[in-house]
Amino acid sequence: MKKAALVSIAAYAPQKILTNAELEKMVETSDEWIVKRTGIHSRHIAEDESLTSMALKAGKLALERSGLEKNEIDCLICATVTPDFFCMPSTAAQVASELGLGSIMAFDISAACSGFVYLLEVAKSLVESGAKKNVLIIGADKFSSIVDYSDRSICVLFGDGAGAGVVSVASSDNHIIATHCASDGSKGELLMTPKDGRNVGFVKMSGNEVFKIAVNTLTNDVVELLEKSGIASSQIDLFIPHQANLRIIKAVQERLGLSEAKCVVTVGEYGNTSAASIPMAMNTAYEDGRLKAGSLILLDAFGGGFTWGSALLRFGR
Ligand code: COA
């Protein structure tokens, strides 16, 4: 059977930065509380930029870095829960068109903060089955469009951004070794956007409950994935988790017995960017030289739905 590889990674963060000091002027909070409870110092905000334009910028760079021609991409999938258009058209169809990819299959998936791990599993399946050769995957979210900036329990947590990669038929030992995606809709109300008439409402979260479930679920999920893959945590070159809260990241990192040096942390700069969070963190590690072709990386994610998952792969062509 063919194997699939993540051959490129890229990201885009909007220019405007919203700091903890600015939030102190908007709601009753403090830099000290935010940093202590979350590890977040700032987040990037899209302002006038659309979700599609952020996805487009990340997708374009991922395509360039893949070394492929536009006409070699035969599928584009976008993970987002904050699309520009309610129901349709999909972000993926818009981006495929703007990138000039022709009339390829393009569709969106909704898996909140687990979006990028879900994308990897779907793209891997399409490539391994032979249905597609090169799939452009984009995780993008503009949470500023669904955050109530008078709700201190939410507005300090989220930011905007996009991340992308290309999944292709593997041509070496570098490939996606294993993915695991799961959900539990019975806990959906703990993190949701209740409908406000005909409009999408603001995000509501039972932070404390979500926190505890996220730590337990993620820890079990990554340990199980490693065991099933026959890989010891000591073999991992980089752990690149979903960036929601530094305390959640540390809890899983410590459970895996990994050093801080092996754990990529970008939550301080970007906050939680939902489906964009993992590829944005991967891109940071790629651009600063930590993530190289052949690096063995472990990803984990947890988000609304609930959805969660993990992935183990050797990066690059
Ligand atoms: N500034 C100051 N105080 C705040 C605050 C803020 N921005 N937000 C909440 N508080 C207050 C609360 O009102 C509460 O006050 P009280 O004790 O007087 O009632 C107190 O801080 C503690 O609130 P609590 O929600 O229990 O804090 P916490 O330690 O659980 O931290 C989160 C809150 C949101 C940071 C944390 O629960 C979290 O990260 N949850 C998970 C988020 C996540 O992973 N989502 C993943 C899916 S994307």
Side-chain angles (χ1 to χ4, degrees):
M1 190 175 74
K2 287 188 185 71
K3 288 192 172 152
L6 179 65
V7 300
S8 71
I9 196 76
Y12 172 77
Q15 293 238 303
K16 158 97 182 128
I17 294 171
L18 178 62
T19 63
N20 290 352
E22 287 168 279
L23 282 166
E24 281 179 351
K25 293 180 198 143
M26 295 158 66
V27 288
E28 203 180 320
T29 190
S30 66
D31 175 59
E32 192 196 353
W33 190 96
I34 302 170
V35 173
K36 193 169 161 209
R37 302 286 178 123
T38 70
I40 301 170
H41 295 268
S42 62
R43 58 297 285 149
H44 291 235
I45 302 293
E47 292 190 303
D48 295 340
E49 246 175 303
S50 67
L51 184 279
T52 307
S53 95
M54 292 197 294
L56 181 65
K57 286 175 180 137
K60 188 167 184 284
L61 188 56
L63 175 58
E64 280 166 23
R65 286 180 176 172
S66 74
L68 294 164
E69 297 298 329
K70 286 181 181 180
N71 63 8
E72 293 178 279
I73 299 292
D74 49 8
C75 179
L76 192 160
I77 318 172
C78 184
T80 186
V81 287
T82 50
D84 293 330
F85 302 103
F86 189 50
C87 300
M88 60 189 149
S90 71
T91 306
Q94 295 293 294
V95 173
S97 208
E98 297 219 23
L99 276 178
L101 301 183
S103 52
I104 58 168
M105 178 164 93
F107 62 98
D108 290 357
I109 62 168
S110 167
C113 302
S114 310
F116 199 73
V117 170
Y118 270 61
L119 284 173
L120 280 173
E121 174 146 346
V122 175
K124 172 178 181 281
S125 309
L126 287 168
V127 167
E128 286 180 350
S129 71
K132 301 292 171 198
K133 288 194 176 67
N134 301 297
V135 183
L136 178 57
I137 54 173
I138 304 176
D141 266 309
K142 184 178 171 178
F143 258 61
S144 62
S145 65
I146 54 166
V147 161
D148 175 358
Y149 283 94
S150 65
D151 179 352
R152 69 175 183 174
S153 71
I154 294 290
C155 70
V156 302
L157 304 175
F158 294 96
D160 301 334
V166 173
V167 174
S168 297
V169 178
S171 53
S172 73
D173 276 351
N174 298 341
H175 67 277
I176 302 169
I177 298 160
T179 52
H180 176 249
C181 295
S183 71
D184 179 1
S186 72
K187 302 212 173 59
E189 80 278 4
L190 295 178
L191 174 48
M192 72 186 306
T193 46
K195 230 176 161 202
D196 177 10
R198 286 186 69 81
N199 300 315
V200 179
F202 290 128
V203 191
K204 299 277 174 223
M205 174 167 68
S206 306
N208 207 271
E209 280 179 82
V210 174
F211 184 94
K212 286 182 228 151
I213 298 170
V215 170
N216 286 333
T217 308
L218 286 171
T219 308
N220 294 338
D221 204 64
V222 288
V223 167
E224 208 172 295
L225 191 80
L226 287 172
E227 275 173 11
K228 276 192 184 153
S229 309
I231 292 197
S233 61
S234 56
Q235 292 173 262
I236 304 287
D237 294 314
L238 283 178
F239 172 46
I240 311 183
H242 170 49
Q243 309 282 319
N245 185 313
L246 187 58
R247 290 185 291 145
I248 298 178
I249 294 172
K250 292 276 164 229
V252 182
Q253 175 210 318
E254 280 164 19
R255 172 72 173 76
L256 288 169
L258 293 174
S259 67
E260 269 186 29
K262 285 192 170 185
C263 183
V264 178
V265 177
T266 55
V267 69
E269 179 182 353
Y270 296 125
N272 182 348
T273 57
S274 186
S277 123
I278 289 177
M280 286 176 86
M282 286 181 78
N283 181 64
T284 296
Y286 176 75
E287 291 188 349
D288 69 22
R290 277 177 293 169
L291 176 61
K292 303 177 187 72
S295 297
L296 180 61
I297 60 174
L298 176 66
L299 314 176
D300 79 13
F302 185 90
F306 287 154
T307 56
W308 66 92
S310 45
L312 187 62
L313 60 99
R314 273 197 195 281
F315 178 71
R317 232 177 241 296

